[in-house]
Amino acid sequence: MINLIGSESDSQRTLYPYVTGTSVVGIKYKDGILLAADMGGSYGSTLRYKTVERLKKVGKHSIIGASGEISDFQEIMRNLDELILYDNMWDDGNSLGPKEVHNYLTRMMYNRRNKFNPLWNSLVLGGVKNGQKYLGTVSMIGVHYEDNHVATGFGNHLARPLLRNEWHADMTFEEGVKLLEKCMRVLLYRDRSAVNKLQIAKITEEGVTITQPYALKTFWNFSAFLNPTAGAEGSW
Amino acid sequence: MSQISESMPPKGGFSFDLCKRNQMLVNKGLKQPSFLKTGTTIVGLVFQDGVILGADTRATEGPIVADKNCEKIHYMAPNIYCCGAGTAADTEAVTDMVSSQLKLHRYHTGRESRVVTALTLLKSHLFSYQGHVSAALVLGGVDVTGPHLHTIYPHGSTDTLPFATMGSGSLAAMAVFESKYREGLTRDEGVKLVAEAICSGIFNDLGSGSNVDVCVITKGKKEYLRNYLTPNPRTYVSEKGYTFSKKTEVLHTKITPLKELVDVIDAGDAMEE
């Protein structure tokens, strides 16, 4: 007799994330898309892994950035790599563009959510195909949209306001990187799970480049920080 | 004569007696009445000559905007102002109370109030209510010891900062501050930055909206700029205007002024002692 009602051993579903990555920020610029993400993998409140690559290439035309459960991201990458492999095997001169990959991700996330077994990620998907730039995002429940600038997690609260003020069409590469670094710096100051080691991924018609990890300069020398209780003895 | 037991004089302040009953009712399924919250963006920053405080003007009651243009920058002393986020009644009451206490203290000492005095009075009051008085404040002012800016949390902890934001829009405003603040800003740069931070809260946070209020406090002077910016004007107004329907016939018109002008006749005797 098949047990139709789930039993206690049925908890193969994802209930909470364990090893997590924090925000990803992405913008469109003149030649394509720029994504930024730091390289931290937190295990609850411990910073367990400090070299987690959260930005990956997908086929010829797209890059993906993920926040949330790292093991679920690795699963997503296995599925995407298989998708691209089958696409290449057709060998028909056509290749999956960012719009198609975004749609595939959306279906994957939404169907898992309907089975109450989500992939605990928020993804950013960007790419260029035939001169058309594309930047979209998918959440763990399948909410998806595309925009000129997207962010996941804390990035929505801290980076999006800055991007709404300062993003404009056809930014140069240098302007784009400067804007992304500004967002990542604010996240570094104000997101407790951020680490000062980040990568920036660029995708243009020519191809994908992901920078080597580097750190941002921070400023801590406000005079109020040197002697914060100068006027208010006993407080902090 | 029957014995009447002396009842205790009513003690002031919050009585925690009903909290257990309220919790029991919530568990049984009663929907608690919602508070008028000021889901808010409030900011403060220290500049060259003093402090600048800023606030939005939306007061919410759950999903509804209860007051489109409320005042969140409260007067504490001629040289000290306080922005309040959280439950509107709590911020209003606690700032009024401490403002009165400061005035009495000024009479007693004969000196200008200091920001740390307001800070200590507020934090000890909030601490004694263990966070039940839901007031998150940004206190700023200039006194003899210089310009000061503090944040006070509902549980009674305080921070002393060069720039601060509180409320639901605090992350949006803090993003602007963290990227653009530097020491030694001039008055105009400071006001511009404060207005930008509040606008960031107004446009990116649903709990904040309407207009920007700014207050600039320097040594010996304060400028309360109410509705410094109004970036959300009412744009659609029906051209038809408001009139009675044409079929209404006017039979009789009588105008009663609500305020009567009284002539003072200078003939009466003064009141006898």
Side-chain angles (χ1 to χ4, degrees):
Chain A
M1 176 69 159
I2 308 160
N3 189 3
L4 291 166
I5 308 158
S7 63
E8 279 309 301
S9 60
D10 199 39
S11 47
Q12 290 287 327
R13 307 148 166 214
T14 307
L15 297 169
Y16 3 80
Y18 286 93
V19 181
T20 53
T22 184
S23 339
V24 178
V25 188
I27 56 172
K28 277 189 192 165
Y29 78 109
K30 190 158 65 96
D31 308 322
I33 313 289
L34 287 169
L35 293 191
D38 68 24
M39 303 193 74
S42 311
Y43 185 63
S45 53
T46 321
L47 178 53
R48 177 69 182 83
Y49 301 104
K50 295 197 270 191
T51 314
V52 178
E53 287 183 20
R54 298 194 290 119
L55 300 172
K56 295 272 185 198
K57 171 167 143 34
V58 181
K60 282 209 292 280
H61 303 286
S62 324
I63 39 175
I64 185 172
S67 68
E69 174 61 57
I70 300 296
S71 62
D72 283 347
F73 177 49
Q74 289 170 345
E75 179 67 13
I76 290 170
M77 284 315 297
R78 281 185 64 206
N79 285 339
L80 286 177
D81 290 337
E82 190 184 43
L83 183 75
I84 299 295
L85 179 68
Y86 281 154
D87 186 45
N88 290 339
M89 290 198 315
W90 281 108
D91 201 18
D92 57 359
N94 207 351
S95 49
L96 288 172
K99 204 175 274 216
E100 290 83 51
V101 177
H102 187 224
N103 188 256
Y104 177 79
L105 287 171
T106 307
R107 292 297 106 223
M108 194 164 61
M109 304 300 272
Y110 184 65
N111 280 300
R112 288 287 299 253
R113 166 259 191 194
N114 284 342
K115 292 188 244 173
F116 282 91
N117 186 14
L119 288 159
W120 207 287
N121 295 105
S122 289
L123 308 165
V124 171
L125 198 294
V128 192
K129 188 172 173 202
N130 298 337
Q132 292 276 36
K133 301 185 282 250
Y134 186 90
L135 180 62
T137 180
V138 195
S139 79
M140 80 181 199
I141 50 172
V143 175
H144 61 284
Y145 54 90
E146 48 160 319
D147 204 346
N148 292 322
H149 45 79
V150 293
T152 66
F154 246 92
N156 275 314
H157 296 103
L158 290 168
R160 282 318 272 297
L162 292 172
L163 293 169
R164 280 180 181 162
N165 274 348
E166 296 180 33
W167 184 90
H168 55 90
D170 296 325
M171 298 175 78
T172 64
F173 175 70
E174 287 75 29
E175 287 178 327
V177 170
K178 198 151 167 263
L179 183 55
L180 277 182
E181 285 188 344
K182 195 185 230 192
C183 295
M184 295 306 283
R185 186 171 294 112
V186 176
L187 285 166
L188 179 62
Y189 285 137
R190 295 286 165 175
D191 177 6
R192 87 165 197 179
S193 27
V195 291
N196 197 2
K197 186 173 174 190
L198 68 140
Q199 288 181 306
I200 297 202
K202 169 180 86 150
I203 182 164
T204 59
E205 195 70 59
E206 281 86 59
V208 178
T209 351
I210 304 181
T211 63
Q212 285 301 309
Y214 69 102
L216 293 169
K217 285 207 189 68
T218 54
F219 180 75
W220 296 93
N221 290 332
F222 291 116
S223 56
F225 289 169
L226 294 171
N227 198 6
T229 58
E233 309 305 329
S235 69
W236 60 89
Chain B
M1 288 264 276
S2 54
Q3 280 275 356
I4 305 165
S5 58
E6 259 182 82
S7 59
M8 296 273 280
K11 284 189 279 201
F14 196 84
S15 162
F16 288 82
D17 298 338
L18 291 173
C19 287
K20 221 174 167 189
R21 176 209 85 147
N22 291 341
Q23 189 54 44
M24 184 269 294
L25 285 171
V26 168
N27 291 342
K28 289 228 167 115
L30 174 75
K31 187 168 160 292
Q32 265 190 334
S34 65
F35 308 107
L36 175 62
K37 298 203 90 195
T38 53
T40 294
T41 310
I42 48 173
V43 304
L45 65 73
V46 175
F47 73 110
Q48 232 169 40
D49 313 315
V51 298
I52 308 176
L53 300 175
D56 75 305
T57 61
R58 173 183 284 184
T60 51
E61 207 171 302
I64 303 167
V65 177
D67 188 349
K68 287 187 284 191
N69 207 191
C70 71
E71 282 188 24
K72 299 187 192 180
I73 306 185
H74 307 283
Y75 169 87
M76 297 288 268
N79 58 326
I80 307 173
Y81 274 76
C82 187
C83 305
T87 305
D90 287 339
T91 58
E92 203 51 61
V94 91
T95 48
D96 271 356
M97 185 194 80
V98 172
S99 174
S100 312
Q101 289 179 337
L102 285 175
K103 179 126 200 179
L104 288 170
H105 193 248
R106 276 203 294 286
Y107 283 135
H108 195 73
T109 57
R111 292 179 167 81
E112 194 187 54
S113 297
R114 299 192 187 190
V115 181
V116 281
T117 318
L119 182 73
T120 312
L121 289 168
L122 286 164
K123 71 150 73 171
S124 35
H125 180 82
L126 292 174
F127 179 74
S128 64
Y129 285 98
Q130 289 294 292
H132 288 284
V133 175
S134 179
L137 310 165
V138 171
L139 175 72
V142 181
D143 55 32
V144 281
T145 49
H148 297 280
L149 179 70
H150 302 280
T151 53
I152 310 166
Y153 290 83
H155 285 265
S157 65
T158 58
D159 287 309
T160 313
L161 297 165
F163 55 91
T165 67
M166 296 282 257
S168 55
S170 62
L171 279 84
M174 185 52 88
V176 172
F177 272 174
E178 283 283 16
S179 53
K180 297 196 175 156
Y181 180 80
R182 54 186 173 75
E183 310 230 78
L185 289 165
T186 64
R187 181 199 176 277
D188 292 329
E189 289 173 332
V191 169
K192 184 159 168 284
L193 186 57
V194 162
E196 216 181 308
I198 298 290
C199 283
S200 179
I202 287 174
F203 294 117
N204 293 299
D205 174 46
L206 297 174
S208 313
S210 301
N211 313 123
V212 180
D213 285 351
V214 175
C215 184
V216 185
I217 310 171
T218 49
K219 194 170 171 61
K221 188 170 99 143
K222 56 128 193 286
E223 286 170 74
Y224 184 74
L225 303 166
R226 168 77 171 148
N227 287 3
Y228 173 73
L229 281 181
T230 44
N232 292 303
R234 184 172 165 216
T235 41
Y236 175 74
V237 182
S238 165
E239 323 94 54
K240 294 190 212 148
Y242 301 101
T243 50
F244 293 111
S245 68
K246 296 183 196 80
K247 300 217 180 79
T248 313
E249 198 189 321
V250 178
L251 298 173
H252 171 69
T253 310
K254 179 180 170 203
I255 302 171
T256 314
L258 292 173
K259 278 189 180 166
E260 292 222 39
L261 291 169
V262 179
D263 286 329
V264 179
I265 309 159
D266 197 36
D269 299 333
M271 265 170 61
E272 285 170 25
E273 288 294 313

